[in-house]
Amino acid sequence: MKFAPSEMMLIAIAAGEKARLHAPPNPWVGALVVNDQGVVVGEGHTQAPGESHAEIVALRRAGEKARGATLVVTLEPCCHVGRTGPCVDVIVEAGVARVIIGTLDPDSRVSGRGVELLKASGIDVEVGIEEDLVRAQLAPYLWHRITGRPFVVLKVASTLDGVVAMSDGTSKWITGEDARRDSHVLRANSQAILVGAGTVRTDDPALTARLDDIIVEPLRVVLGEVAETARVRPCLERSGDLGLILDELGELDVLQLLVEGGPTTASEFLEQGLVNHVVWYLAPAFAGATGTAGALKALSTPTISALRRGRVVGVQRIGEDIRVDVEV
């Protein structure tokens, strides 16, 4: 073998990213077929639900060149019948000699069985190449398969001193156009968006994702009741236990939930330990404390030992603003 598995896995990860918008509730997987000289002879990513998985697309493009070659795939190939047939069977029939996998699939219908079947067919299998990067890319899918709940992303846009709205209730726009465009990508990558009824009454948001000429409409969820004329319609109106709401959304195949609620909703999700990831947009502006709404004003933190600490996993400048990504 004359190629570095890690380098090829990075290419497969990039291929998988092309499927992030259209693949759910399937994982956005990338795959390559590579010959002994390190030449990619087939590349693929997951198609829309009911259509081909990444491995099948890559093998189809490789054709006879797949025989004796190496398949590089970000997620363990499936071995069950769902909307499509088992990928493992097609891989064996294609005659590949080796399969390199980023991470195992925790889905109970797979969970190591795909690897076992490949090995039983005489194929050399290696698992765990660039696994941290693959697991980060597929975090919402993996979390959903393990817990049955969506991966919760909390989005906040505030001034540097943590203010999300002024004393008169106005909040448009704290951040600049570039940051707002980036937040629409977040929306598009989420299968559902949740806000509180207060946000709907104050801002009357449509909660759609606008990507140039494309409009993506995730499921809209509102905590409380909203008027029939609200732009967020149609939506799910829910109240009560947030955990039960997450259970319901998980059953609806929501892999990632974007929480865009105001200070009360954001605080409740953090208080109950239901947030997986925080995306915080910081504008180079200052509001002061008098009569303004703090981003997490309802969060109870009586002493330093009660601080909810996370891990910064990304900081980037977007236009005039800063985006900070935190794992919670």
Side-chain angles (χ1 to χ4, degrees), residues 223 240 242 262-275 298-299:
L223 298 181
L242 294 180
T264 299
T265 299
S267 298
E268 287 177 353
F269 270 86
L270 278 172
E271 188 88 59
Q272 296 182 37
L274 299 175
V275 177
L299 190 64

Side-chain angles (χ1 to χ4, degrees), residues 7-8 25 33 68 89 97 102 128 133 161 164 172 187 195 223 230 240 245 249 259 261 290 311 325:
E7 292 179 6
M8 292 300 166
V33 179
D89 292 351
L133 289 178
D161 52 345
V164 296
K172 296 181 178 180
R187 285 183 175 183
V195 299
L223 298 181
I245 294 173
L249 293 177
V259 175
T290 305
R311 183 173 72 93
D325 283 73

Side-chain angles (χ1 to χ4, degrees), residues 37-238:
Q37 286 71 48
V39 177
V40 176
V41 295
E43 179 180 319
H45 57 265
T46 308
Q47 303 300 296
E51 299 180 12
S52 298
H53 291 185
E55 305 95 312
I56 308 307
V57 176
L59 290 168
R60 186 183 301 132
R61 290 175 176 169
E64 282 302 311
K65 295 178 181 178
R67 196 160 299 279
T70 297
L71 174 69
V72 181
V73 60
T74 53
L75 185 69
E76 178 183 13
C78 68
C79 53
H80 62 281
V81 177
R83 294 185 180 92
T84 62
C87 287
V88 165
D89 292 351
V90 179
I91 294 169
V92 172
E93 291 171 5
V96 300
R98 188 181 191 197
V99 177
I100 295 175
I101 299 169
T103 193
L104 296 179
D105 188 342
D107 190 306
S108 60
R109 298 168 297 180
V110 188
S111 194
R113 289 187 61 242
V115 169
E116 293 174 1
L117 291 171
L118 290 172
K119 289 181 176 179
S121 298
I123 296 175
D124 184 22
V125 181
E126 185 175 358
V127 180
I129 302 300
E130 294 294 343
E131 186 165 22
D132 288 346
L133 289 178
V134 171
R135 293 187 69 82
Q137 181 184 44
L138 296 175
Y141 169 80
L142 299 174
W143 179 262
H144 180 268
R145 288 302 187 271
I146 293 169
T147 68
R149 290 180 172 183
F151 185 88
V152 177
V153 177
L154 172 64
K155 172 227 161 183
V156 178
S158 77
T159 62
L160 277 178
D161 52 345
V163 170
V164 296
M166 303 304 106
S167 57
D168 63 355
T170 57
S171 60
K172 296 181 178 180
W173 298 102
I174 288 177
T175 54
E177 184 177 342
D178 291 339
R180 296 199 300 274
R181 185 181 300 112
D182 188 73
S183 71
H184 276 265
V185 176
L186 265 182
R187 285 183 175 183
N189 287 337
S190 304
Q191 292 72 57
I193 303 175
L194 182 147
V195 299
T199 294
V200 175
R201 288 191 294 269
T202 301
D203 297 335
D204 194 21
L207 298 183
T208 57
R210 297 177 292 281
L211 306 176
D212 297 323
D213 295 332
I214 300 173
I215 296 180
V216 181
E217 298 195 37
L219 174 67
R220 275 69 64 91
V221 185
V222 178
L223 298 181
E225 297 181 355
V226 296
E228 290 292 337
T229 56
R231 295 173 66 211
V232 76
R233 293 288 187 176
C235 66
L236 288 182
E237 295 170 290
R238 294 292 184 267

Side-chain angles (χ1 to χ4, degrees), residues 132 135-136 139 151 275-279 308-314 324-328:
D132 288 346
R135 293 187 69 82
F151 185 88
V275 177
N276 299 92
H277 191 100
V278 175
V279 176
R308 291 151 185 83
R309 296 187 182 275
R311 183 173 72 93
V312 175
V313 294
V324 182
D325 283 73
V326 179
E327 284 184 356
V328 182

